[in-house]
Amino acid sequence: MEPQSTLGRIVSDFVGVGSIATLHAQLSAKLARLVEQAKASFATVVDEGGNLLAWSRVLEPEELGRVGRHMDDALASTQGKPLRRGGTVRLLGHAPGRWFVAHSFGTHVLLLCFEEKYGVGPAMAHVRRELPEIEQMTSALPPDEPGA
């Protein structure tokens, strides 16, 4: 087998970057559909380390602050058991300024954020229905490449 040429490596790397960008775009579109279905404000996928991996739309600075606060609440709900060691998050924020659903899968948390009080049953139904595909898309992302 011949060594790959420099041009071949560059093309291969570029195609890989394009594939990652496509995965991020597909995951963002999936999150945007979830937001629309659940009548939420925005959705994100965040890893246990606080890295924002995907989002339904570009977030404002205040919204990024909300993501941080909601992740603090979500991780605190594991009662000290980190996600990477089997901790789970199933948290409903149901108070002014804390309207959200947090649901973990592996070492990631799906946050579905609302501007006001929301219907818990319908929100959870949307999350349960969409989570398998969101989990599959997230697991296809490189672990060390947050954001796109």
Side-chain angles (χ1 to χ4, degrees), residues 81-105:
K81 190 171 186 181
L83 296 178
R84 68 184 170 285
R85 293 205 178 120
T88 59
V89 172
R90 305 288 185 274
L91 184 63
L92 303 170
H94 225 253
R98 296 255 197 242
W99 306 110
F100 68 96
V101 172
H103 198 291
S104 65
F105 54 98

Side-chain angles (χ1 to χ4, degrees), residues 41-146:
S41 178
F42 63 90
T44 63
V45 174
V46 184
D47 72 13
E48 184 176 37
N51 296 306
L52 190 62
L53 300 176
W55 44 90
S56 56
R57 61 172 173 76
V58 175
L59 302 177
E60 298 295 328
E62 182 274 329
E63 292 169 326
L64 290 170
R66 285 173 56 195
V67 168
R69 289 188 302 276
H70 298 340
M71 274 301 290
D72 288 345
D73 292 345
L75 294 176
S77 76
T78 67
Q79 301 172 345
K81 190 171 186 181
L83 296 178
R84 68 184 170 285
R85 293 205 178 120
T88 59
V89 172
R90 305 288 185 274
L91 184 63
L92 303 170
H94 225 253
R98 296 255 197 242
W99 306 110
F100 68 96
V101 172
H103 198 291
S104 65
F105 54 98
T107 59
H108 302 92
V109 177
L110 169 64
L111 288 173
L112 184 60
C113 302
F114 298 82
E115 292 300 321
E116 56 192 31
K117 192 173 182 176
Y118 60 94
V120 172
M124 288 306 300
H126 291 298
V127 167
R128 280 191 298 272
R129 184 173 52 252
E130 302 299 334
L131 191 63
E133 193 171 349
I134 291 169
E135 182 174 2
Q136 181 181 19
M137 295 168 108
T138 302
S139 68
L141 296 173
D144 57 352
E145 300 244 1

